[in-house]
Amino acid sequence: MKICAVVPSYNHVSAIGGTIARLRDAGLWVFVVDDGSAPDAARLLRSLESPGVVVSRLEVNQGKGGAVVEGFRLAREGGFTHAVQVDADGQHDLDAIPSLLAAARENPDALIAGRPVFDRSMPLGRRIGRWITHVWVWIETLSTRIGDSMCGFRVYPLAAVDLVLRTARVGRRMDFDTEIIVRLAWLGTPIVEVPVRVTYPPVNSSNFRMWADNVRISWMHTRLVCGMLLRLPSLLRPA
């Protein structure tokens, strides 16, 4: 097993330096994907490149999922078997990294998914929206084993992810985190959840676009429900 980290970034620069330092302290090679950031942010991200830190730029913004997929491609080319996905905006509690890595080493075929424990900084609208998505995911998988499908703090088995990406068209923006975990579950990939603290920093600038991303997520759930119906016999088959 060879684990690296993938950090997608679109104009998030205030916390990313500390994030990279923590990942390097954990012994992880880091792939930062600049998802078409503005010139000033792009220059700062490029300046972070160093031994063990690779910064790659997408000239045209692809969305969070597109940046993560590019990071996975770089990781596979580098010979890595697993990738820790970490957001660049400082929401994820990096103290959880040892727990995520330990779970990955104990379950090398599994997706290790952070199950967020939120504090009071989480906006009420986000809390309601997440609950609605969780219910849809339980319907799409005919199971409640995915406690949270939206947290991007995960350790991915890259072979399983590669199979999903080669056989299905997965959303490349804010729909990515949810769709990829559902499709991995459909393939029979074990999912192990690890509690992680998640905060909403006061100066955080979200890239979530209320109308466009909600429409995109609604369309994703429509696709996944249709996919669930097509897979109904196999999903109902006893394990």
Side-chain angles (χ1 to χ4, degrees), residues 164-222:
V164 169
L165 295 177
R166 284 190 288 108
T167 57
R169 187 171 183 176
V170 180
R172 291 296 201 265
R173 293 190 176 270
M174 291 299 184
D175 45 359
F176 176 80
D177 290 332
T178 295
E179 185 163 4
I180 193 73
I181 197 172
V182 168
R183 291 189 179 278
L184 284 168
W186 284 349
L187 283 181
T189 304
I191 296 170
V192 176
E193 293 189 321
V194 174
V196 297
R197 288 193 304 112
V198 177
T199 61
Y200 283 76
V203 297
N204 181 55
S205 175
S206 174
N207 291 322
F208 189 86
R209 301 294 175 256
M210 183 63 69
W211 292 107
D213 285 323
N214 277 326
V215 169
R216 185 173 289 112
I217 288 170
S218 296
W219 172 235
M220 172 201 68
H221 285 306
T222 301

Side-chain angles (χ1 to χ4, degrees), residues 3 14 25 58 77 93 98 101 103 110 136 166 174 204-205:
I3 309 177
S14 61
D25 287 344
L58 298 171
E77 287 184 352
D93 177 18
L101 296 179
W136 277 114
R166 284 190 288 108
M174 291 299 184
N204 181 55
S205 175

